[in-house]
Amino acid sequence: SKKISKICCIGAGYVGGPTMAVIAQKCPDIEVTVVDINAQRIAAWNDKDVNKIPVYEPGLSEVVAEARGKNLFFSTEVDKAIDEAEMIFISVNTPTKTYGKGKGMAADLKYIELCARQIARVAKNDKIVVEKSTLPVRTAEALKSILHNTGNGVNFDILSNPEFLAEGTAIQDLYKPDRVLIGGDSPEAIQALVDVYACWVPNENILTTNVWSSELSKLTANAFLAQRVSSINALSELCEKTGADVNEVARAIGTDSRIGPKFLKASVGFGGSCFQKDILNLVYIAKTYGLTEVADYWEQVILMNDHQKRRFADNIVSTLYNTVSGKKIAFLGWAFKKDTNDTRESAAIYVADHLLNEQAEIVVYDPKVPEEQIYADLDYLNTRSEKENRNLVTVVNDPYEAVNEAHAVAVLTEWDEFKAYDWQKIYREMLKPSFVFDGRALLDKEQLKGIGFEMYTIGVGEEQ
Ligand code: NAD
Ligand code: UDX
């Protein structure tokens, strides 16, 4: 098969950036150019200070520092990169549609289609086009029809190669993937992509399938993962009522090798750019085929997650004597999980929104999320004016400033550093009684109760 020497990736986001950085690092003979129409983002990827790249991921800046300028390039010259590459990854965003047919459910494929049309317009020689974005099953058909009707004699092979990395562990996930999945119908094209991954991934971890199985496997994987979180979160509510401890239950069931121990951590609700979007998309596809029971089954995973976020906020209000109006509530964490600066669909946003409806005053501390992002997340909801959001929400760079004279602390993200804080000092500085609502079951409940805190831990009931 053809040996690839130049790769272009369209989309320099949370997937395109880390994935291409690792390909460049592991395949020194391949020149990798990551392009994006967002000039500010490209400038940040090119920042001399490698700690200012736009994606925070443990280990990523080191990989970028090693490969950038050698065989890894970030650029806004999309046409040029398409023209020069033999293999083009499409890694643009595929958000939930906010308008028209399928609004709030279907994936918006306009960015994908724009890429296909641009490739069709620019390409002068044969290309392998790789779907790296998460796409509804049968998207490759649409890409094919756009690319195969250019009439300029260029041959395009289309592969599906979904990405399974999780944010916060992206580099480790890329270094040692459980599997790399490649779907396609051209054996030569498949082999060319297998050869790229074979630079560092053992052959037995590279799976090939037909293109539709590959596309659908990505939605299925995210649906199963999210379902586990909603399942344990559903039980967390029952644990609280019955004096059981969801972490003990998780340990007890997780030792069953058929169930397994991972992804059983109860939380204030899953967030991130993928789970909700991909399940909604799956539900929409099922509905399109008239599969009502299939659609309803998976939709329940989302409904449970909405309930979990809601009841966490409701519990804060009812515990604080049914009013949080004018009360200061300190948020520890805003990111949707630890070790990332990504806040998309973070539970913190929705918990904050509920509490702001009750006129709470929220002070946020997150180690990696900047102030502008927090305001942007709240403004995007359109629940209240930008001015009101800025009046009610303050963002601080020091956790101890956040908790000072607060009525309550709410833990929204499981950042390690929260465990190491001086909780004696925090107790001294808060109003009394001092409430802690631990939405991640992160803190030592008994220790904090010993200090004097009124503790609520997700999924942990009172024993008596
Ligand atoms: P992102 O929003 O971080 O990045 C996408 C980038 O594409 C943006 O910078 C945007 O400016 C750029 N873009 C959009 N249209 C473009 C165009 N026509 N030309 C050039 N650039 C364009 O998104 P992401 O989180 O990297 O996700 C990308 C895809 O990967 C999505 O389909 C997502 O579902 C999937 N995915 C994401 C993750 C994750 O953890 N974030 C994991 C697996 C798969
Ligand atoms: C997910 C998939 O794991 C990954 O394979 C896919 O490529 C993209 O979507 P990501 O969203 O980055 O990755 O992070 P993930 O670790 O899956 O966590 C998603 C959300 O679920 C987070 O909010 C996390 O806090 C929550 N979660 C996860 C739990 O509440 N409990 C768990 O046990 C696991």
Side-chain angles (χ1 to χ4, degrees):
S1 78
K2 193 169 169 202
K3 203 162 169 345
I4 300 297
S5 63
K6 280 193 178 180
I7 286 177
C8 156
C9 173
I10 310 180
Y14 281 86
V15 168
T19 309
M20 293 303 130
V22 167
I23 290 182
Q25 184 191 42
K26 299 292 187 182
C27 313
D29 297 336
I30 301 180
E31 188 181 306
V32 182
T33 305
V34 193
V35 292
D36 205 295
I37 41 178
N38 181 337
Q40 210 186 336
R41 212 167 201 187
I42 290 297
W45 280 111
N46 283 323
D47 201 299
K48 266 201 230 71
D49 179 355
V50 86
N51 293 312
K52 293 204 175 126
I53 56 176
V55 170
Y56 173 73
E57 271 295 336
L60 174 61
S61 54
E62 288 83 348
V63 180
V64 170
E66 189 185 320
R68 198 177 58 184
K70 280 192 203 131
N71 65 331
L72 174 66
F73 302 92
F74 294 93
S75 160
T76 52
E77 293 181 86
V78 183
D79 282 1
K80 178 164 178 278
I82 291 174
D83 179 34
E84 290 175 355
E86 297 131 358
M87 182 178 273
I88 301 163
F89 286 80
I90 303 182
S91 195
V92 301
N93 40 327
T94 49
T96 304
K97 270 188 90 175
T98 54
Y99 55 89
K101 186 159 172 265
K103 176 179 173 175
M105 298 287 286
D108 193 341
L109 298 180
K110 72 177 170 200
Y111 307 107
I112 294 286
E113 183 170 337
L114 280 172
C115 289
R117 290 187 184 278
Q118 191 161 7
I119 295 168
R121 175 170 55 76
V122 170
K124 297 196 275 293
N125 48 22
D126 296 354
K127 311 280 184 201
I128 298 172
V129 176
V130 183
E131 298 176 345
K132 181 52 102 181
S133 298
T134 301
L135 297 171
V137 56
R138 296 206 73 88
T139 303
E141 196 170 51
L143 292 186
K144 243 182 212 148
S145 123
I146 292 169
L147 291 168
H148 289 178
N149 285 304
T150 54
N152 58 4
V154 174
N155 181 57
F156 295 97
D157 284 311
I158 296 160
L159 300 175
S160 160
N161 172 223
E163 183 49 59
F164 294 98
L165 69 79
E167 290 178 23
T169 53
I171 297 301
Q172 286 319 310
D173 294 344
L174 288 164
Y175 280 171
K176 263 180 85 57
D178 286 345
R179 73 339 207 152
V180 166
L181 178 59
I182 300 173
D185 49 23
S186 151
E188 296 78 34
I190 292 175
Q191 193 56 47
L193 185 53
V194 168
D195 289 344
V196 172
Y197 283 107
C199 292
W200 79 98
V201 179
N203 255 306
E204 59 270 26
N205 294 338
I206 306 179
L207 240 95
T208 58
T209 65
N210 82 34
V211 68
W212 317 126
S213 304
S214 174
E215 287 178 340
L216 189 55
S217 295
K218 178 63 199 180
L219 294 182
T220 307
N222 277 348
F224 268 64
L225 290 167
Q227 182 197 40
R228 268 175 86 93
V229 179
S230 274
S231 295
I232 201 72
N233 281 346
L235 270 310
S236 74
E237 191 172 14
L238 188 56
C239 287
E240 290 169 26
K241 294 282 185 243
T242 55
D245 177 336
V246 75
N247 304 298
E248 293 180 347
V249 173
R251 182 150 41 92
I253 66 164
T255 46
D256 186 322
S257 63
R258 294 167 302 175
I259 297 174
K262 293 181 186 167
F263 247 74
L264 288 176
K265 185 89 181 107
S267 67
V268 54
F270 62 73
S273 63
C274 293
F275 282 177
Q276 174 163 306
K277 160 178 82 78
D278 292 348
I279 294 178
L280 290 172
N281 186 11
L282 189 65
V283 170
Y284 182 76
I285 294 168
K287 281 190 177 153
T288 309
Y289 288 102
L291 309 179
T292 312
E293 290 78 5
V294 178
D296 291 349
Y297 178 77
W298 287 108
E299 190 164 30
Q300 201 57 39
V301 174
I302 304 286
L303 297 178
M304 186 64 230
N305 195 51
D306 289 340
H307 171 67
Q308 189 76 348
K309 294 179 273 189
R310 177 89 220 195
R311 80 177 183 89
F312 184 78
D314 286 346
N315 179 49
I316 294 179
V317 177
S318 62
T319 307
L320 295 183
Y321 318 107
N322 291 313
T323 175
V324 290
S325 179
K327 290 183 179 167
K328 177 172 169 183
I329 301 179
F331 269 39
L332 293 183
W334 190 265
F336 79 97
K337 63 186 286 197
K338 73 170 177 179
D339 292 339
T340 179
N341 60 347
D342 195 350
T343 65
R344 289 177 287 181
E345 292 300 328
S346 179
I349 302 169
Y350 297 94
V351 173
D353 191 47
H354 291 317
L355 295 175
L356 292 173
N357 284 340
E358 297 290 332
Q359 302 179 345
E361 285 172 21
I362 296 177
V363 184
V364 185
Y365 168 77
D366 186 287
K368 289 288 173 196
V369 179
E371 177 172 338
E372 319 82 79
Q373 186 60 51
I374 292 169
Y375 288 132
D377 291 337
L378 289 169
D379 293 343
Y380 185 77
L381 297 176
N382 252 323
T383 317
R384 63 192 69 72
S385 70
E386 298 188 2
K387 188 160 172 268
E388 283 171 296
N389 282 331
R390 280 149 194 78
N391 282 342
L392 290 170
V393 180
T394 314
V395 181
V396 296
N397 292 320
D398 173 3
Y400 295 99
E401 192 183 333
V403 301
N404 187 40
E405 301 210 339
H407 290 260
V409 168
V411 177
L412 277 307
T413 312
E414 73 282 20
W415 287 102
D416 290 331
E417 63 172 71
F418 299 163
K419 285 186 283 193
Y421 288 170
D422 182 346
W423 286 93
Q424 293 276 3
K425 174 177 151 99
I426 292 175
Y427 183 70
R428 283 197 303 274
E429 293 183 1
M430 284 176 67
L431 298 184
K432 305 292 172 313
S434 312
F435 293 93
V436 173
F437 298 90
D438 184 354
R440 296 288 182 167
L442 179 76
L443 305 170
D444 185 333
K445 185 177 182 180
E446 292 312 314
Q447 187 208 338
L448 266 67
K449 272 167 81 172
I451 293 175
F453 286 102
E454 298 287 331
M455 288 296 295
Y456 163 81
T457 301
I458 197 103
V460 183
E462 290 304 325
E463 265 176 58
Q464 63 240 300

